[in-house]
Amino acid sequence: MVKTSLPLTGFFFLLLISSSFAADTGRLFLTVVNHCPFTVWPAIQPNAGHPVLEKGGFALPTNTHRSFSPPTTHWSGRIWGRTGCSHYNGKFSCVTGDCGNRLECNGLGGATPASLAQFDLHHGGHRDLSSYGVSLVDGFNVPMTVTPHEGRGVCPVVGCREDLLRTCPAHLQLRSGHGGHVVACKSGCEAFRTDELCCRNHYNSPQTCRASSHSLFFKHACPSTMTFAHDSPSLMHDCSSPRELKVIFCH
């Protein structure tokens, strides 16, 4: 029998490749998917002290996706979709979710109303928890869900699949231009700006901040979403070591 041996350099090369592959398969990926029949411009804003991902925003044509890795240490932030974006006279702007007339938000927040996916990744020590949820506290502009893959524990699909632009009450509608079509559905806070609806001042506590008829419109349509500032904390789900978290527009 003839034995063949791998050259030492070849052995170390294979070892390096296999180690890199093993490390990569352990990484968490965020994937943004657009199933809407129109382009969506996802935006990403980190919470204070965390790095900006993917320069904070990009275009995502219909039936395409984009995957990227957050830091392997603790990261928290939010993702939302901008709609109706265009370049005009050298200026970029979006009808909903705009972040200061920029394609790449670079840490800026977005204009409301907007559907939001919220994340708190790599916390909980050895349990390596990634928490996620979908919020309609700031209103709605596009259907959105978060779908985890290969996590341990209770890792449900959450969000809002309904197109609430079709059913948004007249007093919450945001229309394009003067009397144009409905482009977003405002929260009660944005529509009326009262302390009670915005859970401000005296109403800024779990005891005094309550659901309203406006937030119940969103809750009845999409029960797994947060719909007012002190909604149930259980709507943020702790999933242990997921392989991927997918944000899907128009799921």
PDB file of all heavy atoms in Angstrom, residues 28 127-133 146-159 234-246:
ATOM      1  N   LEU A  28     -23.872  34.955  13.921  1.00  0.00           N
ATOM      2  CA  LEU A  28     -25.253  35.345  13.703  1.00  0.00           C
ATOM      3  C   LEU A  28     -25.325  36.266  12.484  1.00  0.00           C
ATOM      4  O   LEU A  28     -24.502  37.169  12.339  1.00  0.00           O
ATOM      5  CB  LEU A  28     -25.787  36.079  14.934  1.00  0.00           C
ATOM      6  CG  LEU A  28     -27.115  36.824  14.788  1.00  0.00           C
ATOM      7  CD1 LEU A  28     -28.255  35.856  14.506  1.00  0.00           C
ATOM      8  CD2 LEU A  28     -27.397  37.642  16.029  1.00  0.00           C
ATOM      9  N   ARG A 127     -25.687  32.130  27.792  1.00  0.00           N
ATOM     10  CA  ARG A 127     -26.912  31.759  27.070  1.00  0.00           C
ATOM     11  C   ARG A 127     -26.956  32.405  25.686  1.00  0.00           C
ATOM     12  O   ARG A 127     -27.717  31.984  24.840  1.00  0.00           O
ATOM     13  CB  ARG A 127     -28.143  32.168  27.888  1.00  0.00           C
ATOM     14  CG  ARG A 127     -28.273  31.447  29.210  1.00  0.00           C
ATOM     15  CD  ARG A 127     -29.442  32.004  30.005  1.00  0.00           C
ATOM     16  NE  ARG A 127     -30.713  31.743  29.326  1.00  0.00           N
ATOM     17  CZ  ARG A 127     -31.838  32.383  29.619  1.00  0.00           C
ATOM     18  NH1 ARG A 127     -31.830  33.345  30.531  1.00  0.00           N
ATOM     19  NH2 ARG A 127     -32.958  32.096  28.974  1.00  0.00           N
ATOM     20  N   ASP A 128     -26.161  33.438  25.476  1.00  0.00           N
ATOM     21  CA  ASP A 128     -26.064  34.143  24.184  1.00  0.00           C
ATOM     22  C   ASP A 128     -27.457  34.435  23.614  1.00  0.00           C
ATOM     23  O   ASP A 128     -27.841  33.941  22.566  1.00  0.00           O
ATOM     24  CB  ASP A 128     -25.247  33.321  23.182  1.00  0.00           C
ATOM     25  CG  ASP A 128     -24.968  34.119  21.902  1.00  0.00           C
ATOM     26  OD1 ASP A 128     -24.973  35.365  21.959  1.00  0.00           O
ATOM     27  OD2 ASP A 128     -24.761  33.490  20.844  1.00  0.00           O
ATOM     28  N   LEU A 129     -28.187  35.264  24.322  1.00  0.00           N
ATOM     29  CA  LEU A 129     -29.553  35.586  23.912  1.00  0.00           C
ATOM     30  C   LEU A 129     -29.576  36.683  22.864  1.00  0.00           C
ATOM     31  O   LEU A 129     -28.792  37.633  22.904  1.00  0.00           O
ATOM     32  CB  LEU A 129     -30.375  36.029  25.119  1.00  0.00           C
ATOM     33  CG  LEU A 129     -30.548  35.002  26.234  1.00  0.00           C
ATOM     34  CD1 LEU A 129     -31.308  35.611  27.400  1.00  0.00           C
ATOM     35  CD2 LEU A 129     -31.264  33.761  25.711  1.00  0.00           C
ATOM     36  N   SER A 130     -30.478  36.540  21.908  1.00  0.00           N
ATOM     37  CA  SER A 130     -30.774  37.597  20.952  1.00  0.00           C
ATOM     38  C   SER A 130     -32.264  37.895  21.062  1.00  0.00           C
ATOM     39  O   SER A 130     -33.101  37.047  20.749  1.00  0.00           O
ATOM     40  CB  SER A 130     -30.400  37.163  19.526  1.00  0.00           C
ATOM     41  OG  SER A 130     -28.995  37.157  19.366  1.00  0.00           O
ATOM     42  N   SER A 131     -32.579  39.098  21.545  1.00  0.00           N
ATOM     43  CA  SER A 131     -33.970  39.495  21.731  1.00  0.00           C
ATOM     44  C   SER A 131     -34.436  40.285  20.513  1.00  0.00           C
ATOM     45  O   SER A 131     -33.659  41.042  19.926  1.00  0.00           O
ATOM     46  CB  SER A 131     -34.119  40.350  22.988  1.00  0.00           C
ATOM     47  OG  SER A 131     -33.594  39.674  24.106  1.00  0.00           O
ATOM     48  N   TYR A 132     -35.693  40.120  20.165  1.00  0.00           N
ATOM     49  CA  TYR A 132     -36.218  40.796  18.980  1.00  0.00           C
ATOM     50  C   TYR A 132     -37.717  41.018  19.144  1.00  0.00           C
ATOM     51  O   TYR A 132     -38.396  40.330  19.908  1.00  0.00           O
ATOM     52  CB  TYR A 132     -35.943  39.978  17.713  1.00  0.00           C
ATOM     53  CG  TYR A 132     -36.593  38.608  17.732  1.00  0.00           C
ATOM     54  CD1 TYR A 132     -37.850  38.399  17.169  1.00  0.00           C
ATOM     55  CD2 TYR A 132     -35.967  37.512  18.340  1.00  0.00           C
ATOM     56  CE1 TYR A 132     -38.465  37.149  17.203  1.00  0.00           C
ATOM     57  CE2 TYR A 132     -36.563  36.272  18.389  1.00  0.00           C
ATOM     58  CZ  TYR A 132     -37.818  36.090  17.814  1.00  0.00           C
ATOM     59  OH  TYR A 132     -38.429  34.864  17.857  1.00  0.00           O
ATOM     60  N   GLY A 133     -38.224  41.992  18.427  1.00  0.00           N
ATOM     61  CA  GLY A 133     -39.651  42.270  18.437  1.00  0.00           C
ATOM     62  C   GLY A 133     -39.972  43.265  17.341  1.00  0.00           C
ATOM     63  O   GLY A 133     -39.075  43.880  16.751  1.00  0.00           O
ATOM     64  N   VAL A 146     -40.241  39.450  11.809  1.00  0.00           N
ATOM     65  CA  VAL A 146     -38.908  38.941  12.137  1.00  0.00           C
ATOM     66  C   VAL A 146     -39.022  37.434  12.296  1.00  0.00           C
ATOM     67  O   VAL A 146     -39.849  36.945  13.078  1.00  0.00           O
ATOM     68  CB  VAL A 146     -38.336  39.574  13.420  1.00  0.00           C
ATOM     69  CG1 VAL A 146     -36.977  38.946  13.761  1.00  0.00           C
ATOM     70  CG2 VAL A 146     -38.198  41.081  13.265  1.00  0.00           C
ATOM     71  N   THR A 147     -38.213  36.712  11.540  1.00  0.00           N
ATOM     72  CA  THR A 147     -38.221  35.240  11.557  1.00  0.00           C
ATOM     73  C   THR A 147     -36.851  34.731  11.995  1.00  0.00           C
ATOM     74  O   THR A 147     -35.856  34.960  11.313  1.00  0.00           O
ATOM     75  CB  THR A 147     -38.538  34.689  10.155  1.00  0.00           C
ATOM     76  OG1 THR A 147     -39.819  35.148   9.734  1.00  0.00           O
ATOM     77  CG2 THR A 147     -38.540  33.163  10.164  1.00  0.00           C
ATOM     78  N   PRO A 148     -36.764  34.058  13.152  1.00  0.00           N
ATOM     79  CA  PRO A 148     -35.483  33.484  13.586  1.00  0.00           C
ATOM     80  C   PRO A 148     -35.264  32.104  12.988  1.00  0.00           C
ATOM     81  O   PRO A 148     -36.227  31.395  12.656  1.00  0.00           O
ATOM     82  CB  PRO A 148     -35.646  33.409  15.101  1.00  0.00           C
ATOM     83  CG  PRO A 148     -37.117  33.197  15.291  1.00  0.00           C
ATOM     84  CD  PRO A 148     -37.822  33.883  14.153  1.00  0.00           C
ATOM     85  N   HIS A 149     -33.996  31.721  12.852  1.00  0.00           N
ATOM     86  CA  HIS A 149     -33.650  30.396  12.345  1.00  0.00           C
ATOM     87  C   HIS A 149     -32.627  29.739  13.273  1.00  0.00           C
ATOM     88  O   HIS A 149     -31.642  30.355  13.665  1.00  0.00           O
ATOM     89  CB  HIS A 149     -33.077  30.482  10.932  1.00  0.00           C
ATOM     90  CG  HIS A 149     -34.092  30.848   9.896  1.00  0.00           C
ATOM     91  ND1 HIS A 149     -35.005  29.953   9.382  1.00  0.00           N
ATOM     92  CD2 HIS A 149     -34.372  32.025   9.296  1.00  0.00           C
ATOM     93  CE1 HIS A 149     -35.782  30.554   8.494  1.00  0.00           C
ATOM     94  NE2 HIS A 149     -35.420  31.823   8.432  1.00  0.00           N
ATOM     95  N   GLU A 150     -32.918  28.489  13.636  1.00  0.00           N
ATOM     96  CA  GLU A 150     -32.005  27.606  14.366  1.00  0.00           C
ATOM     97  C   GLU A 150     -31.677  28.078  15.778  1.00  0.00           C
ATOM     98  O   GLU A 150     -30.656  27.722  16.331  1.00  0.00           O
ATOM     99  CB  GLU A 150     -30.702  27.396  13.581  1.00  0.00           C
ATOM    100  CG  GLU A 150     -30.915  26.761  12.212  1.00  0.00           C
ATOM    101  CD  GLU A 150     -29.601  26.510  11.480  1.00  0.00           C
ATOM    102  OE1 GLU A 150     -28.570  26.333  12.153  1.00  0.00           O
ATOM    103  OE2 GLU A 150     -29.617  26.504  10.240  1.00  0.00           O
ATOM    104  N   GLY A 151     -32.545  28.891  16.385  1.00  0.00           N
ATOM    105  CA  GLY A 151     -32.327  29.286  17.761  1.00  0.00           C
ATOM    106  C   GLY A 151     -32.898  28.260  18.734  1.00  0.00           C
ATOM    107  O   GLY A 151     -33.649  27.359  18.356  1.00  0.00           O
ATOM    108  N   ARG A 152     -32.535  28.404  20.001  1.00  0.00           N
ATOM    109  CA  ARG A 152     -33.047  27.515  21.044  1.00  0.00           C
ATOM    110  C   ARG A 152     -33.966  28.304  21.970  1.00  0.00           C
ATOM    111  O   ARG A 152     -33.766  29.498  22.185  1.00  0.00           O
ATOM    112  CB  ARG A 152     -31.891  26.905  21.849  1.00  0.00           C
ATOM    113  CG  ARG A 152     -30.971  26.031  21.010  1.00  0.00           C
ATOM    114  CD  ARG A 152     -29.991  25.264  21.897  1.00  0.00           C
ATOM    115  NE  ARG A 152     -29.104  26.165  22.625  1.00  0.00           N
ATOM    116  CZ  ARG A 152     -27.965  26.643  22.130  1.00  0.00           C
ATOM    117  NH1 ARG A 152     -27.586  26.317  20.907  1.00  0.00           N
ATOM    118  NH2 ARG A 152     -27.206  27.458  22.846  1.00  0.00           N
ATOM    119  N   GLY A 153     -34.949  27.619  22.504  1.00  0.00           N
ATOM    120  CA  GLY A 153     -35.912  28.265  23.375  1.00  0.00           C
ATOM    121  C   GLY A 153     -37.159  28.641  22.600  1.00  0.00           C
ATOM    122  O   GLY A 153     -37.489  28.039  21.577  1.00  0.00           O
ATOM    123  N   VAL A 154     -37.856  29.649  23.088  1.00  0.00           N
ATOM    124  CA  VAL A 154     -39.078  30.111  22.432  1.00  0.00           C
ATOM    125  C   VAL A 154     -38.693  31.201  21.435  1.00  0.00           C
ATOM    126  O   VAL A 154     -38.348  32.314  21.828  1.00  0.00           O
ATOM    127  CB  VAL A 154     -40.091  30.646  23.459  1.00  0.00           C
ATOM    128  CG1 VAL A 154     -41.363  31.105  22.746  1.00  0.00           C
ATOM    129  CG2 VAL A 154     -40.410  29.573  24.496  1.00  0.00           C
ATOM    130  N   CYS A 155     -38.726  30.863  20.149  1.00  0.00           N
ATOM    131  CA  CYS A 155     -38.255  31.765  19.097  1.00  0.00           C
ATOM    132  C   CYS A 155     -39.325  31.914  18.016  1.00  0.00           C
ATOM    133  O   CYS A 155     -39.187  31.412  16.890  1.00  0.00           O
ATOM    134  CB  CYS A 155     -36.963  31.238  18.475  1.00  0.00           C
ATOM    135  SG  CYS A 155     -35.628  30.887  19.642  1.00  0.00           S
ATOM    136  N   PRO A 156     -40.425  32.599  18.313  1.00  0.00           N
ATOM    137  CA  PRO A 156     -41.528  32.671  17.355  1.00  0.00           C
ATOM    138  C   PRO A 156     -41.272  33.676  16.236  1.00  0.00           C
ATOM    139  O   PRO A 156     -40.438  34.580  16.348  1.00  0.00           O
ATOM    140  CB  PRO A 156     -42.699  33.136  18.227  1.00  0.00           C
ATOM    141  CG  PRO A 156     -42.042  33.993  19.265  1.00  0.00           C
ATOM    142  CD  PRO A 156     -40.726  33.316  19.566  1.00  0.00           C
ATOM    143  N   VAL A 157     -42.010  33.522  15.151  1.00  0.00           N
ATOM    144  CA  VAL A 157     -42.089  34.558  14.126  1.00  0.00           C
ATOM    145  C   VAL A 157     -43.041  35.632  14.651  1.00  0.00           C
ATOM    146  O   VAL A 157     -44.134  35.323  15.115  1.00  0.00           O
ATOM    147  CB  VAL A 157     -42.622  33.985  12.788  1.00  0.00           C
ATOM    148  CG1 VAL A 157     -42.774  35.096  11.757  1.00  0.00           C
ATOM    149  CG2 VAL A 157     -41.706  32.892  12.281  1.00  0.00           C
ATOM    150  N   VAL A 158     -42.611  36.886  14.620  1.00  0.00           N
ATOM    151  CA  VAL A 158     -43.447  37.969  15.134  1.00  0.00           C
ATOM    152  C   VAL A 158     -43.542  39.077  14.100  1.00  0.00           C
ATOM    153  O   VAL A 158     -42.739  39.166  13.179  1.00  0.00           O
ATOM    154  CB  VAL A 158     -42.895  38.544  16.458  1.00  0.00           C
ATOM    155  CG1 VAL A 158     -42.840  37.480  17.534  1.00  0.00           C
ATOM    156  CG2 VAL A 158     -41.520  39.171  16.251  1.00  0.00           C
ATOM    157  N   GLY A 159     -44.530  39.943  14.260  1.00  0.00           N
ATOM    158  CA  GLY A 159     -44.636  41.100  13.385  1.00  0.00           C
ATOM    159  C   GLY A 159     -46.029  41.323  12.869  1.00  0.00           C
ATOM    160  O   GLY A 159     -47.016  40.854  13.440  1.00  0.00           O
ATOM    161  N   SER A 234     -43.143  41.115  27.357  1.00  0.00           N
ATOM    162  CA  SER A 234     -43.064  39.749  26.826  1.00  0.00           C
ATOM    163  C   SER A 234     -43.127  39.715  25.301  1.00  0.00           C
ATOM    164  O   SER A 234     -42.877  38.672  24.681  1.00  0.00           O
ATOM    165  CB  SER A 234     -44.192  38.886  27.404  1.00  0.00           C
ATOM    166  OG  SER A 234     -45.450  39.336  26.931  1.00  0.00           O
ATOM    167  N   LEU A 235     -43.432  40.845  24.672  1.00  0.00           N
ATOM    168  CA  LEU A 235     -43.472  40.897  23.208  1.00  0.00           C
ATOM    169  C   LEU A 235     -42.078  41.001  22.614  1.00  0.00           C
ATOM    170  O   LEU A 235     -41.915  40.887  21.391  1.00  0.00           O
ATOM    171  CB  LEU A 235     -44.339  42.072  22.749  1.00  0.00           C
ATOM    172  CG  LEU A 235     -45.820  41.932  23.101  1.00  0.00           C
ATOM    173  CD1 LEU A 235     -46.567  43.235  22.868  1.00  0.00           C
ATOM    174  CD2 LEU A 235     -46.455  40.806  22.281  1.00  0.00           C
ATOM    175  N   MET A 236     -41.051  41.228  23.463  1.00  0.00           N
ATOM    176  CA  MET A 236     -39.655  41.085  23.040  1.00  0.00           C
ATOM    177  C   MET A 236     -39.239  39.669  23.400  1.00  0.00           C
ATOM    178  O   MET A 236     -39.305  39.264  24.558  1.00  0.00           O
ATOM    179  CB  MET A 236     -38.759  42.098  23.738  1.00  0.00           C
ATOM    180  CG  MET A 236     -38.823  43.497  23.166  1.00  0.00           C
ATOM    181  SD  MET A 236     -38.086  43.654  21.504  1.00  0.00           S
ATOM    182  CE  MET A 236     -36.333  43.525  21.880  1.00  0.00           C
ATOM    183  N   HIS A 237     -38.825  38.880  22.424  1.00  0.00           N
ATOM    184  CA  HIS A 237     -38.570  37.453  22.628  1.00  0.00           C
ATOM    185  C   HIS A 237     -37.073  37.173  22.735  1.00  0.00           C
ATOM    186  O   HIS A 237     -36.279  37.684  21.954  1.00  0.00           O
ATOM    187  CB  HIS A 237     -39.183  36.654  21.486  1.00  0.00           C
ATOM    188  CG  HIS A 237     -40.671  36.814  21.395  1.00  0.00           C
ATOM    189  ND1 HIS A 237     -41.541  36.076  22.161  1.00  0.00           N
ATOM    190  CD2 HIS A 237     -41.432  37.649  20.661  1.00  0.00           C
ATOM    191  CE1 HIS A 237     -42.781  36.446  21.883  1.00  0.00           C
ATOM    192  NE2 HIS A 237     -42.738  37.408  20.976  1.00  0.00           N
ATOM    193  N   ASP A 238     -36.711  36.339  23.729  1.00  0.00           N
ATOM    194  CA  ASP A 238     -35.319  35.962  23.954  1.00  0.00           C
ATOM    195  C   ASP A 238     -35.050  34.614  23.303  1.00  0.00           C
ATOM    196  O   ASP A 238     -35.542  33.576  23.764  1.00  0.00           O
ATOM    197  CB  ASP A 238     -35.022  35.865  25.453  1.00  0.00           C
ATOM    198  CG  ASP A 238     -35.113  37.201  26.151  1.00  0.00           C
ATOM    199  OD1 ASP A 238     -34.912  38.223  25.473  1.00  0.00           O
ATOM    200  OD2 ASP A 238     -35.384  37.225  27.364  1.00  0.00           O
ATOM    201  N   CYS A 239     -34.256  34.639  22.240  1.00  0.00           N
ATOM    202  CA  CYS A 239     -33.915  33.415  21.503  1.00  0.00           C
ATOM    203  C   CYS A 239     -32.427  33.139  21.705  1.00  0.00           C
ATOM    204  O   CYS A 239     -31.592  34.039  21.523  1.00  0.00           O
ATOM    205  CB  CYS A 239     -34.231  33.632  20.014  1.00  0.00           C
ATOM    206  SG  CYS A 239     -34.090  32.154  18.993  1.00  0.00           S
ATOM    207  N   SER A 240     -32.087  31.925  22.099  1.00  0.00           N
ATOM    208  CA  SER A 240     -30.704  31.588  22.398  1.00  0.00           C
ATOM    209  C   SER A 240     -29.956  31.109  21.150  1.00  0.00           C
ATOM    210  O   SER A 240     -30.366  30.153  20.487  1.00  0.00           O
ATOM    211  CB  SER A 240     -30.656  30.498  23.477  1.00  0.00           C
ATOM    212  OG  SER A 240     -29.324  30.147  23.779  1.00  0.00           O
ATOM    213  N   SER A 241     -28.879  31.813  20.828  1.00  0.00           N
ATOM    214  CA  SER A 241     -27.951  31.448  19.748  1.00  0.00           C
ATOM    215  C   SER A 241     -28.615  31.163  18.404  1.00  0.00           C
ATOM    216  O   SER A 241     -28.360  30.129  17.779  1.00  0.00           O
ATOM    217  CB  SER A 241     -27.124  30.223  20.164  1.00  0.00           C
ATOM    218  OG  SER A 241     -26.414  30.476  21.344  1.00  0.00           O
ATOM    219  N   PRO A 242     -29.474  32.055  17.917  1.00  0.00           N
ATOM    220  CA  PRO A 242     -30.016  31.829  16.569  1.00  0.00           C
ATOM    221  C   PRO A 242     -28.916  31.947  15.520  1.00  0.00           C
ATOM    222  O   PRO A 242     -27.936  32.678  15.709  1.00  0.00           O
ATOM    223  CB  PRO A 242     -31.054  32.946  16.408  1.00  0.00           C
ATOM    224  CG  PRO A 242     -30.562  34.043  17.301  1.00  0.00           C
ATOM    225  CD  PRO A 242     -29.925  33.350  18.472  1.00  0.00           C
ATOM    226  N   ARG A 243     -29.074  31.226  14.440  1.00  0.00           N
ATOM    227  CA  ARG A 243     -28.119  31.305  13.327  1.00  0.00           C
ATOM    228  C   ARG A 243     -28.387  32.536  12.477  1.00  0.00           C
ATOM    229  O   ARG A 243     -27.475  33.138  11.918  1.00  0.00           O
ATOM    230  CB  ARG A 243     -28.258  30.036  12.462  1.00  0.00           C
ATOM    231  CG  ARG A 243     -27.381  30.011  11.210  1.00  0.00           C
ATOM    232  CD  ARG A 243     -25.955  29.700  11.549  1.00  0.00           C
ATOM    233  NE  ARG A 243     -25.165  29.527  10.343  1.00  0.00           N
ATOM    234  CZ  ARG A 243     -24.538  30.497   9.697  1.00  0.00           C
ATOM    235  NH1 ARG A 243     -24.645  31.743  10.123  1.00  0.00           N
ATOM    236  NH2 ARG A 243     -23.804  30.252   8.623  1.00  0.00           N
ATOM    237  N   GLU A 244     -29.682  32.909  12.383  1.00  0.00           N
ATOM    238  CA  GLU A 244     -30.061  34.011  11.526  1.00  0.00           C
ATOM    239  C   GLU A 244     -31.349  34.650  12.051  1.00  0.00           C
ATOM    240  O   GLU A 244     -32.222  33.962  12.566  1.00  0.00           O
ATOM    241  CB  GLU A 244     -30.287  33.501  10.090  1.00  0.00           C
ATOM    242  CG  GLU A 244     -30.681  34.570   9.088  1.00  0.00           C
ATOM    243  CD  GLU A 244     -30.935  33.974   7.699  1.00  0.00           C
ATOM    244  OE1 GLU A 244     -31.580  32.906   7.625  1.00  0.00           O
ATOM    245  OE2 GLU A 244     -30.477  34.568   6.717  1.00  0.00           O
ATOM    246  N   LEU A 245     -31.446  35.954  11.915  1.00  0.00           N
ATOM    247  CA  LEU A 245     -32.679  36.677  12.172  1.00  0.00           C
ATOM    248  C   LEU A 245     -33.059  37.389  10.878  1.00  0.00           C
ATOM    249  O   LEU A 245     -32.303  38.227  10.376  1.00  0.00           O
ATOM    250  CB  LEU A 245     -32.502  37.694  13.302  1.00  0.00           C
ATOM    251  CG  LEU A 245     -32.293  37.104  14.700  1.00  0.00           C
ATOM    252  CD1 LEU A 245     -31.878  38.188  15.681  1.00  0.00           C
ATOM    253  CD2 LEU A 245     -33.549  36.397  15.195  1.00  0.00           C
ATOM    254  N   LYS A 246     -34.200  37.033  10.332  1.00  0.00           N
ATOM    255  CA  LYS A 246     -34.651  37.596   9.053  1.00  0.00           C
ATOM    256  C   LYS A 246     -35.705  38.653   9.278  1.00  0.00           C
ATOM    257  O   LYS A 246     -36.743  38.402   9.903  1.00  0.00           O
ATOM    258  CB  LYS A 246     -35.259  36.501   8.161  1.00  0.00           C
ATOM    259  CG  LYS A 246     -34.292  35.812   7.238  1.00  0.00           C
ATOM    260  CD  LYS A 246     -35.023  34.848   6.331  1.00  0.00           C
ATOM    261  CE  LYS A 246     -34.017  34.107   5.438  1.00  0.00           C
ATOM    262  NZ  LYS A 246     -34.657  33.042   4.675  1.00  0.00           N
TER     263      LYS A 246
END
